[in-house]
Amino acid sequence: MLDALLTEALRSHLPKIVEPIELVASLDNSPTSAKITELLGELDVLSADINVRFDGSADRRPSFRITRVTDPHASVTFGGVPLGHEFTSLVLALLQVGGHPSTADADLLDQIRGIEGTHRFETFFSLSCQNCPDVVQALNLMSIINPNIEHVALDGGAFQDEIAAREVMAVPTVFRNGEKFGQGRMTLEELVAMIDSRSSDRAVEKIAAMDPFDVLIVGGGPAGSSAAVYAARKGLRTAIVAERFGGQLLDTMGIENLISTPYTEGPKLAAELEENVRNHQVEIITAQRAERIDPAPRVGGLHTLTLESGAALQARSLIISTGARWRRMGVPGEAEYANRGVAYCPHCDGPLYKGKRTAVIGGGNSGVEAAIDLAGIVKHVTLLEFADELRADDVLQNKLRSLSNVTIVTGAMTTEVLGDDKKVTALTYRSRADETDHQVDLDGIFVQIGLLPNTEWLDGTVQLSEHNEIMIDGHGATSVPGVFAAGDCTTVPFKQIVVSMGAGSTAMLSVFDHLIRTPQDTNVSA
């Protein structure tokens, strides 16, 4: 079950267990049960602190529970085999149930310990979903340190009947006490805020007490992370504000064009960027979304960043690196059926459509790659491209055309998403060549039609292009003195990770030059 690389990883981590743990399996006659038996057997021999039993009595099978022997409340449960992207979740669960401390913020951990009431969480994930581990690991941690919280993480591929019965159309999907609680990527901070009603008030109070910064960076993707590290190394008082670290990296699978790194994956790179920033003297403010900027009234004064939570921060300079997001089709039915058949991440949600009919909207590299991936899982893929020919690289087109369960339709304008009020049942498109309308019956639609910059909140503040990108010069400067920008939210012509990293460092070096050449106006305050 575990290859040599995974076994070696476990050997290096399991000595961190300080409290004995027990793994109790509740099995049936399924192939998944056989895999769990094999996995637990391999874990059993890797550490003297792990004891395994196969006589569990849980109703949901196949599953296994990880419990601290000295404190049975410190436990988590996995339904299915947590490998793939969830291997890290398994390792962290073993360590944290075994008493190894979490690296999360101490104040946040105290807040989790204080949560009252009964919270029984169930999270449906897929092994190919790069968004799921954050949610699984966050809820696992909460269930380990607070006896009022329980968590079961379920591989949707092993519980297809339950997926269908509970109408789970996207992962991760979280239920609390039997009711749908949340969907999509959620950080530990966001989950705590959803449970603890006073969380937002405490965050606002903490932010309000912060003194002005030399530089405030808005956005935690490659550009923002690069800028933060460069700022800290220049000795500037620095803060980075982000909803979550990583940006689009969190929705990116294989990365093979990052210089000096032959291969990595988006979530792994995002975690490494965050660790790099945290190793410097940077104030990190997460789970916050920017609302507006009030530029300094005079050169050398303080800019004010107001957040949607009502909190406000001040700084002598700003770097905006808010990135971009997936473009929506903008047709009737799309919003109504989002996460109920309309999806934007084939790697995450593709396994939920095993044996079903799907469509991919978009004939660029992303769309064709999505169609190729889906073709290995689903019954049939229809790829719809607005232009008269596909725009993807020839090697991808050749691979796509070799697949027997793929239909390619070019010159097709998607016009509507249809459903039965619960889930998607079809889409309609218009042939641009002859203006005829067509309907494709299906179960899922994956939209892959490019990106939109996250700049709506800046309208009227800095100059934007006709495509709503922040207009910058060669130094990353915007139309507002002291405000700089970097990455995919700007007019930089190439949207690449390595370009964003360079742009972040360029903007930060420009900020440093701006600050040392601009006397601070001590007469200007908020």
Side-chain angles (χ1 to χ4, degrees):
M1 177 62 63
L2 298 173
D3 60 25
L5 189 62
L6 296 182
T7 300
E8 187 57 33
L10 283 167
R11 287 188 191 279
S12 66
H13 287 295
L14 293 183
K16 300 174 185 176
I17 294 175
V18 295
E19 295 276 358
I21 60 177
E22 187 172 58
L23 280 59
V24 182
S26 300
L27 306 175
D28 53 22
N29 296 320
S30 67
T32 301
S33 284
K35 293 178 181 178
I36 289 178
T37 299
E38 184 179 356
L39 173 63
L40 299 194
E42 294 178 10
L43 293 174
D44 194 15
V45 301
L46 288 175
S47 173
D49 292 311
I50 296 177
N51 179 57
V52 175
R53 293 194 289 113
F54 295 95
D55 57 354
S57 57
D59 292 333
R60 185 183 275 112
R61 299 167 182 260
S63 66
F64 65 96
R65 184 179 179 90
I66 306 173
T67 304
R68 185 179 301 164
V69 173
T70 58
D71 180 10
H73 290 296
S75 66
V76 299
T77 299
F78 286 99
V81 183
L83 295 181
H85 283 292
E86 293 299 337
F87 176 71
T88 302
S89 300
L90 171 62
V91 174
L92 284 175
L94 293 170
L95 298 184
Q96 291 171 353
V97 172
H100 185 70
S102 168
T103 58
D105 180 77
D107 290 341
L108 184 62
L109 293 176
D110 286 341
Q111 187 177 344
I112 294 170
R113 294 186 183 98
I115 293 175
E116 300 178 346
T118 300
H119 307 274
R120 295 187 176 90
F121 289 101
E122 301 160 290
T123 300
F124 287 91
F125 64 84
S126 73
L127 297 179
S128 59
C129 170
Q130 69 268 32
N131 292 324
C132 297
D134 281 358
V135 176
V136 170
Q137 292 165 24
L139 289 172
N140 276 351
L141 175 61
M142 293 169 69
S143 72
I144 291 167
I145 66 177
N146 186 326
N148 297 319
I149 300 173
E150 297 179 10
H151 183 225
V152 180
L154 299 160
D155 173 14
F159 294 90
Q160 288 287 329
D161 291 344
E162 191 167 355
I163 285 280
R166 301 179 78 167
E167 299 178 350
V168 175
M169 305 295 292
V171 290
T173 293
V174 180
F175 291 81
R176 179 176 65 169
N177 299 334
E179 300 293 328
K180 188 170 287 188
F181 174 77
Q183 203 165 46
R185 181 185 293 276
M186 293 171 279
T187 65
L188 179 62
E189 291 87 350
E190 289 170 330
L191 287 163
V192 172
M194 293 168 70
I195 300 169
D196 184 354
S197 59
R198 289 203 62 243
S199 176
S200 178
D201 293 339
R202 282 192 290 266
V204 170
E205 292 171 3
K206 181 178 180 180
I207 293 171
M210 293 180 178
D211 293 329
F213 295 90
D214 292 320
V215 57
L216 180 59
I217 301 161
V218 188
S225 299
S226 174
V229 171
Y230 266 68
R233 291 176 63 85
K234 288 292 187 182
L236 299 177
R237 176 170 159 75
T238 306
I240 185 168
V241 180
E243 289 185 77
R244 54 177 69 95
F245 261 88
Q248 295 170 58
L249 287 180
L250 301 174
D251 298 319
T252 305
M253 287 295 291
I255 300 171
E256 299 178 319
N257 59 355
L258 184 60
I259 308 306
S260 83
T261 304
Y263 178 84
T264 188
E265 294 182 347
K268 181 175 184 293
L269 180 57
E272 291 169 346
L273 290 176
E274 181 174 358
E275 181 180 9
N276 194 192
V277 173
R278 290 187 181 279
N279 285 337
H280 290 78
Q281 291 184 333
V282 176
E283 183 73 47
I284 297 172
I285 304 166
T286 56
Q288 296 289 333
R289 186 182 179 92
E291 182 176 83
R292 74 175 188 274
I293 291 172
D294 293 312
R298 298 186 186 91
V299 175
L302 296 175
H303 305 280
T304 300
L305 174 71
T306 300
L307 308 174
E308 288 187 355
S309 63
L313 293 158
Q314 290 189 311
R316 295 176 61 199
S317 63
L318 298 174
I319 295 178
I320 304 167
S321 56
T322 46
R325 65 188 183 278
W326 290 114
R327 185 186 299 272
R328 272 37 176 178
M329 295 182 291
V331 301
E334 179 181 22
E336 291 83 347
Y337 289 100
N339 296 319
R340 294 192 294 157
V342 176
Y344 302 88
C345 181
H347 302 294
C348 300
D349 299 332
L352 300 179
Y353 295 87
K354 182 178 181 180
K356 297 181 179 181
R357 303 181 69 87
T358 63
V360 172
I361 311 299
N365 283 348
S366 295
V368 172
E369 287 174 352
I372 292 170
D373 288 344
L374 288 168
I377 302 171
V378 305
K379 181 178 181 180
H380 189 270
V381 180
T382 300
L383 185 143
L384 301 177
E385 163 58 33
F386 182 83
D388 293 333
E389 58 184 26
L390 301 183
R391 296 169 286 108
D393 295 341
D394 288 343
V395 64
L396 294 175
Q397 292 193 41
N398 292 338
K399 174 63 176 178
L400 182 69
R401 296 182 194 281
S402 73
L403 302 174
S404 60
N405 62 336
V406 174
T407 299
I408 300 171
V409 183
T410 57
M413 181 176 68
T414 306
T415 53
E416 187 173 6
V417 174
L418 304 176
D420 61 4
D421 292 332
K422 293 183 178 180
K423 61 183 184 301
V424 166
T425 59
L427 67 74
T428 60
Y429 71 89
R430 178 165 296 169
S431 172
R432 297 175 59 233
D434 57 15
E435 295 295 315
T436 57
D437 292 322
H438 305 265
Q439 179 171 313
V440 181
D441 296 329
L442 42 69
D443 302 286
I445 302 167
F446 292 85
V447 183
Q448 302 282 289
I449 55 174
L451 300 170
L452 286 174
N454 295 317
T455 58
E456 293 87 348
W457 64 287
L458 293 168
D459 188 29
T461 303
V462 296
Q463 186 177 359
L464 303 178
S465 72
E466 61 180 331
H467 302 296
N468 288 323
E469 297 170 325
I470 302 171
M471 298 188 69
I472 57 173
D473 65 15
H475 296 273
T478 72
S479 58
V480 176
V483 178
F484 297 76
D488 287 4
C489 63
T490 74
T491 50
V492 64
F494 304 109
K495 316 302 186 186
Q496 297 287 312
I497 295 168
V498 69
V499 173
S500 290
M501 288 180 172
S505 59
T506 296
M508 187 59 248
L509 292 171
S510 300
V511 163
F512 183 72
D513 185 68
H514 167 78
L515 291 177
I516 62 176
R517 295 174 184 273
T518 305
Q520 185 171 0
D521 185 348
T522 56
N523 294 319
V524 177
S525 58

